[in-house]
Amino acid sequence: MELEIPIVDLDQSFEECAKVVKHACERHGFFAIKGIPEEITSGALDHMKRFFALSEEEKRSLTVDDGHGYIPYGGQKLDPKHQTKGDTKEIFAVGPEKTADSGEALLFGSNKWPTDEQLPGFRKFIEEYCKLMHETSVRLSEIIGYSLGMPTDYFNHKVFDGSLSCLRPIHYFPEKSDPEQGIFGAGAHSDWGMITLLYTDGQPGLQILVDGQWLDVKEPRGTLICNIGDMLERWSNNKYKSTRHRVANMKGVDRFAIPYFLNPKPNWVIATLPTCGTPKYRDIKCEDYIASMIEATGPDSIAS
Ligand SMILES: O=C(O)CCC(=O)C(=O)O
Ligand SMILES: [Fe+2]
């Protein structure tokens, strides 16, 4: 069954956007956003297709060792309990460059870029794309904070301008998923951070779990999908849902997706908002939550 998600038009008023966001977040936490120029999203997609078309050797020379870089096929298993093999995808993770004097904990290291000879213009374009995704997701966070009864400057740059946000473009291999056999493009999971902004090539595959049923998400073309992550669920004391989702590649074709994960600064403490009732969660530092999730889903969870 298909799920239609509401559209937030960033050209509309703050109040109007907040109304749509609130309604979607209280139901399942997925909505689409309009207002990012097509040539930018399709440009990012073209660059990422060229990246994943590099030779195995070239990609593996950029293999991730501390958070950023290339993660080969099967290198992540998002739902170890229900998967019989790793996700049938490869990833290239890029984050904001950390400066030596930023004083942040070293959870993620520096980026690993292909050379300009390998992929002309790639680094410049993707860096700009990261900045645009960051600005857009911070703006959405301001709207979200307001929709939860907080001042509009509560969730702004002071919270999110750190090193943990991350663009993680994905190539799903042309391999048919088989949910009965525990084979998925990406296993069921919820996202970990504040929000995720996702652009896809339009191939179906993304499914979300609503009232015990897996529904296919159909995003209107020319939009990005935005969904709520675990930290916002904690902040909002479960008012807003960090819904489980997965990728089932039922056609067995290549599929490309470019998610941007907006996370707070490493040492930012996630504590229930004063507008959201008696806390159901203990306070937790952003970097501690992320480290525990990497531990649960990274290469060590592949061993089984
Ligand atoms: O590829 C998609 O549509 C979703 C990817 C996703 O959920 C993730 O990377 O967290
Ligand atoms: Fe996800």
Side-chain angles (χ1 to χ4, degrees):
M1 237 168 50
E2 254 178 25
L3 176 79
E4 261 193 46
I5 54 177
I7 300 177
V8 174
D9 183 349
L10 291 175
D11 289 334
Q12 287 194 319
S13 72
F14 205 83
E15 269 80 17
E16 200 51 49
C17 292
K19 223 193 287 168
V20 184
V21 162
K22 185 177 173 63
H23 186 64
C25 292
E26 285 174 347
R27 281 179 61 219
H28 45 59
F30 277 73
F31 52 92
I33 66 156
K34 203 160 99 164
I36 307 291
E38 230 280 303
E39 66 267 21
I40 296 182
T41 42
S42 60
L45 196 59
D46 288 344
H47 275 294
M48 290 322 306
K49 285 182 180 174
R50 282 196 281 274
F51 174 86
F52 287 116
L54 290 175
S55 71
E56 194 63 26
E57 193 189 346
E58 285 172 298
K59 286 186 284 188
R60 283 192 188 258
S61 75
L62 302 170
T63 295
V64 87
D65 47 26
D66 51 9
H68 293 151
Y70 176 64
I71 302 172
Y73 175 92
Q76 195 174 38
K77 195 193 258 180
L78 282 167
D79 185 16
K81 258 203 220 139
H82 301 105
Q83 282 176 273
T84 49
K85 61 187 277 194
D87 297 353
T88 61
K89 69 183 189 198
E90 54 184 345
I91 306 171
F92 179 64
V94 189
E97 291 294 352
K98 192 168 11 217
T99 53
D101 58 359
S102 68
E104 291 184 0
L106 293 174
L107 187 57
F108 289 173
S110 43
N111 287 315
K112 295 194 157 92
W113 294 104
T115 64
D116 225 37
E117 284 73 48
Q118 285 173 303
L119 294 178
F122 177 83
R123 175 172 180 170
K124 191 162 180 295
F125 194 100
I126 297 301
E127 280 180 340
E128 284 302 313
Y129 188 77
C130 281
K131 275 190 210 145
L132 178 65
M133 290 300 106
H134 190 73
E135 288 306 313
T136 309
S137 50
V138 171
R139 193 162 147 221
L140 278 164
S141 299
E142 288 169 348
I143 294 171
I144 287 169
Y146 176 79
S147 78
L148 285 164
M150 298 300 290
T152 49
D153 64 355
Y154 188 80
F155 284 126
N156 67 7
H157 283 283
K158 70 180 177 303
V159 183
F160 300 111
D161 287 358
S163 62
L164 290 182
S165 297
C166 193
L167 190 78
R168 286 168 71 88
I170 304 169
H171 168 221
Y172 295 92
F173 280 64
E175 178 177 344
K176 241 184 166 165
S177 294
D178 187 343
E180 298 287 297
Q181 297 299 320
I183 299 168
F184 293 99
H189 65 283
S190 55
D191 293 347
W192 307 340
M194 172 72 183
I195 55 174
T196 305
L197 272 191
L198 172 77
Y199 184 70
T200 80
D201 64 359
Q203 282 295 340
L206 178 61
Q207 301 182 325
I208 76 172
L209 188 62
V210 182
D211 300 329
Q213 237 195 333
W214 286 104
L215 305 178
D216 295 308
V217 176
K218 180 129 185 51
E219 86 268 27
R221 279 322 286 155
T223 64
L224 300 179
I225 295 174
C226 180
N227 67 282
I228 298 310
D230 299 346
M231 290 184 206
L232 181 52
E233 185 173 81
R234 292 176 84 107
W235 253 314
S236 72
N237 214 18
N238 288 356
K239 273 194 181 173
Y240 285 3
K241 308 266 181 305
S242 175
T243 295
R244 277 176 90 70
H245 53 283
R246 67 186 189 187
V247 174
N249 187 354
M250 300 313 286
K251 288 207 271 178
V253 294
D254 286 299
R255 180 174 183 273
F256 295 87
I258 312 183
Y260 183 76
F261 297 96
L262 181 72
N263 290 315
K265 287 180 170 153
N267 58 5
W268 203 269
V269 176
I270 319 299
T272 303
L273 298 176
T275 51
C276 293
T278 312
K280 298 184 169 84
Y281 295 98
R282 68 180 172 88
D283 297 356
I284 190 164
K285 245 203 257 176
C286 172
E287 65 187 335
D288 293 342
Y289 188 72
I290 295 211
S292 71
M293 296 309 284
I294 291 174
E295 169 103 13
T297 60
D300 293 344
S301 67
I302 299 296
S304 55

